[in-house]
Amino acid sequence: MTDVFGAGLVLAASGPEIPTIDDFLPPEILFQGTPFAMNRIVLVRVVMTVVILLVLGITAARAKLVPGRWQGFVEWGIEYVRDKIVYEVMGEVRGKRYVPMITTMFFTILLFNLCGIIPGMNIAATATVMMPLAFALWTFVQYWRAATREQGLLTFLKHECVPQGVPPVMLILVIPIQLLDVVVIRPLSLTVRLFANMMAGHIILALCLSATQFFLIEAHNAMAAFGAITLIAGFVMTLFEAFVAYLQAFIFATLSTVYINLSYPED
Amino acid sequence: MDLITLAEVSGNLSAIGYGLAAIGPGIGVGIVFGKAIESTARQPELGGRIQTLMWIGFGVIEFLALLGIVAGFLFR
Amino acid sequence: METLAETSGIALFIPKVYDIVWSLIILVVVAVFFYKFFLPKFQSVFDERTAKIEGGIAKAQKDQEAARAAKEQYEAQLSNARVEASKIRDDARAEASHIVADARSRAESEAAQITANAQRSLASQQQQALVSLKGEVGALATALAGKILGAKLEDPGVQSSMIDSMIDDLDSGAKTAAK
């Protein structure tokens, strides 16, 4: 069990090692002190990027007219993002321009999230605040650009901040909230949602597995039953994390699409 | 072991704070998804539009829960 | 809880410089990879596949169209032939009746002519016979009467008047008999 989630844990005889948020602030291990310093999470991220480029790059380079099993799976993923996320929300005419962006987001976030349950990595590559923030800022830039291009900034702000059918008195409340929503809340909520989910997932998983280690190996035999329960819980949570990894990628991609779509004038 | 030591509670109050903060968004998100499913069942042809609106509402409500997480770290 | 956690809690949400640098580098790399290589490649594969499938469908459609056109042409020819055949049959029938009618009328006219000729020759022969009979009967009767009456009736005047009256009687008797 130790290698399944080794790095962050120190053996302790007094009780299970409780994972803390320090797992997300690991020390710099490469190029210390320069702007290119790397900690564990950044290293995981770089490794995963290389893996993505290699695996998907080779798949794309070898893409044939009649797909094999793996190519079929990748194609299914591409079509899923295109049809079920982008075209479902925006329609085909508007959506065409944003398909590459959303596909990039979905695939990258999904694979980065899955790092959290890959043995040896054990932490999601999206588990520092900047990676989700980078994707959120991309969405942010795109929806402001779309708003400027499609209906002009003023019309967009008026449409967003002054909803139809709100009594004038309420506008004093509604306008600042909506303005805050457009400018701050949308990118920030995208960021924090993804980050916090990965953080919580990692902590729950690490807790289950460190408790298993403590009960099975370090504590007395009487505690072994607890160890079995936490081990099962660890398996279940691993599967759950795989689901959450997909779900968060889906939500991130869908919400990005929805926000961009809101910048277009209503039909 | 005296009574004071026995009754001592250790830990961080912000955990309880977050627990409280998650109640409202939990109910809200439940209502949003439940209503979206209900309306899609009533009018399946509007499914796409309902889903879009559902995600917008979900984003706004979910932000409260996320704010709870950040606030736990922010105001200590 | 842990003192470390308490000091660094909010630090989670403040990105470090190297985090920013690496995140942006990775974002750009991944985006370029997806935009410039991965998706165009798969798009071209999709397009090729679609083109192939659509080409197959179009070809099948064209074949079907050709088959239908051929069938229509064939049917048109068939119905044309049918019309022509019936026309020819009608024509033939009309011609045949025409020929028959023609033949009949010709035969009738010929028959009528033959009948008329026969009647005409019959009448002339009758006339001839009558004339010759008149002479012969007169001579015969004269001879007979001379033999009976002898010389008394040698006188030619008496003789001719007697013959005339007798022929007149004969003539009127023949006419009433003919009627």
Side-chain angles (χ1 to χ4, degrees):
Chain A
M1 232 50 244
T2 34
D3 22 329
V4 174
F5 81 100
L9 292 176
V10 184
L11 293 182
S14 57
E17 180 72 17
I18 307 283
T20 68
I21 54 169
D22 290 329
D23 287 4
F24 304 97
L25 295 165
E28 304 170 11
I29 51 175
L30 282 174
F31 315 119
Q32 285 98 333
T34 63
F36 295 97
M38 278 182 172
N39 60 23
R40 213 173 92 70
I41 300 175
V42 175
L43 191 62
V44 164
R45 193 181 295 161
V46 172
V47 169
M48 197 62 200
T49 310
V50 173
V51 170
I52 291 174
L53 293 193
L54 278 181
V55 172
L56 292 186
I58 289 173
T59 311
R62 285 189 189 162
K64 288 189 287 282
L65 202 60
V66 180
R69 232 174 247 183
W70 169 246
Q71 193 194 332
F73 182 68
V74 174
E75 281 178 9
W76 175 78
I78 294 170
E79 281 172 352
Y80 173 78
V81 174
R82 193 186 60 195
D83 296 339
K84 297 285 171 205
I85 297 179
V86 184
Y87 288 174
E88 174 86 19
V89 174
M90 301 185 90
E92 201 168 334
V93 181
R94 289 178 186 176
K96 231 179 186 69
R97 173 198 291 262
Y98 295 104
V99 169
M101 172 191 171
I102 303 298
T103 313
T104 310
M105 280 188 175
F106 182 83
F107 274 61
T108 315
I109 293 175
L110 175 64
L111 292 168
F112 278 9
N113 287 355
L114 284 176
C115 290
I117 55 168
I118 294 175
M121 290 182 169
N122 290 37
I123 192 147
T126 38
T128 66
V129 74
M130 191 53 208
M131 197 70 229
L133 188 58
F135 284 115
L137 286 178
W138 191 8
T139 304
F140 182 79
V141 170
Q142 286 289 351
Y143 76 70
W144 281 104
R145 267 185 61 194
T148 321
R149 189 183 59 233
E150 297 298 330
Q151 51 179 352
L153 274 185
L154 282 179
T155 327
F156 169 66
L157 281 177
K158 183 167 171 289
H159 192 264
E160 281 296 309
C161 297
V162 189
Q164 296 285 310
V166 174
V169 187
M170 290 294 287
L171 284 180
I172 302 167
L173 267 176
V174 168
I175 290 177
I177 291 177
Q178 289 289 80
L179 203 61
L180 202 66
D181 181 46
V182 173
V183 179
V184 180
I185 293 182
R186 283 181 190 177
L188 214 61
S189 71
L190 282 176
T191 311
V192 180
R193 178 179 303 112
L194 181 54
F195 176 44
N197 267 287
M198 289 306 111
M199 209 163 68
H202 172 78
I203 288 178
I204 292 173
L205 208 54
L207 196 62
C208 284
L209 297 180
S210 79
T212 309
Q213 185 195 347
F214 174 74
F215 286 131
L216 282 185
I217 298 169
E218 290 157 25
H220 304 293
N221 285 338
M223 297 292 227
F226 283 113
I229 293 171
T230 52
L231 183 60
I232 292 169
F235 276 117
V236 173
M237 289 319 289
T238 304
L239 292 178
F240 183 65
E241 277 312 298
F243 171 66
V244 168
Y246 152 74
L247 190 69
Q248 289 306 318
F250 173 79
I251 289 178
F252 202 106
T254 304
L255 275 175
S256 292
T257 320
V258 167
Y259 290 154
I260 292 170
N261 194 36
L262 280 179
S263 295
Y264 281 77
E266 259 182 70
D267 315 299
Chain B
M1 205 177 268
D2 58 38
L3 205 64
I4 307 266
T5 322
L6 208 64
E8 188 194 54
V9 178
S10 68
N12 199 328
L13 202 58
S14 46
I16 297 173
Y18 180 67
L20 293 175
I23 295 173
I27 295 171
V29 169
I31 290 175
V32 165
F33 278 92
K35 288 287 178 189
I37 293 167
E38 205 174 282
S39 356
T40 311
R42 276 194 195 157
Q43 273 169 305
E45 69 276 8
L46 288 181
R49 181 135 183 76
I50 289 169
Q51 212 179 30
T52 307
L53 292 172
M54 176 189 83
W55 285 118
I56 296 171
F58 167 79
V60 174
I61 295 167
E62 176 86 335
F63 184 70
L64 294 175
L66 300 173
L67 208 60
I69 292 179
V70 182
F73 292 113
L74 205 55
F75 310 118
R76 51 172 69 251
Chain C
M1 270 201 282
E2 283 77 7
T3 43
L4 243 177
E6 296 215 7
T7 52
S8 60
I10 199 61
L12 277 179
F13 295 95
I14 300 169
K16 298 204 169 57
V17 177
Y18 62 82
D19 194 12
I20 297 174
V21 170
W22 279 112
S23 297
L24 291 181
I25 289 174
I26 284 172
L27 183 67
V28 170
V29 167
V30 168
V32 167
F33 168 71
F34 272 91
Y35 268 77
K36 296 289 171 204
F37 179 64
F38 185 71
L39 285 171
K41 179 81 188 166
F42 270 99
Q43 197 55 52
S44 71
V45 170
F46 289 160
D47 287 348
E48 203 179 328
R49 197 174 295 157
T50 315
K52 201 146 203 179
I53 292 169
E54 270 175 4
I57 291 172
K59 190 172 171 294
Q61 227 159 19
K62 218 167 65 180
D63 287 356
Q64 216 169 12
E65 203 81 355
R68 199 168 45 221
K71 192 176 161 223
E72 260 165 25
Q73 202 183 352
Y74 162 75
E75 269 172 5
Q77 276 175 351
L78 196 68
S79 71
N80 263 1
R82 258 192 214 123
V83 167
E84 216 164 308
S86 74
K87 208 173 102 185
I88 287 171
R89 217 175 309 141
D90 284 354
D91 280 359
R93 209 171 280 149
E95 208 166 333
S97 63
H98 190 75
I99 287 169
V100 168
D102 232 24
R104 185 177 294 146
S105 68
R106 204 159 43 215
E108 269 169 5
S109 69
E110 254 170 46
Q113 209 176 355
I114 288 169
T115 316
N117 279 352
Q119 269 171 350
R120 233 187 347 260
S121 79
L122 214 67
S124 72
Q125 276 174 3
Q126 195 187 12
Q127 197 66 33
Q128 241 172 4
L130 206 62
V131 169
S132 73
L133 202 64
K134 204 154 90 176
E136 271 179 39
V137 167
L140 206 62
T142 311
L144 193 61
K147 269 179 193 157
I148 298 169
L149 296 177
K152 200 184 149 182
L153 282 178
E154 286 283 281
D155 184 43
V158 174
Q159 195 180 344
S160 83
S161 73
M162 266 182 81
I163 285 167
D164 277 346
S165 72
M166 206 178 122
I167 278 169
D168 280 347
D169 284 355
L170 206 75
D171 222 9
S172 66
K175 260 181 192 158
T176 48
K179 269 178 190 170

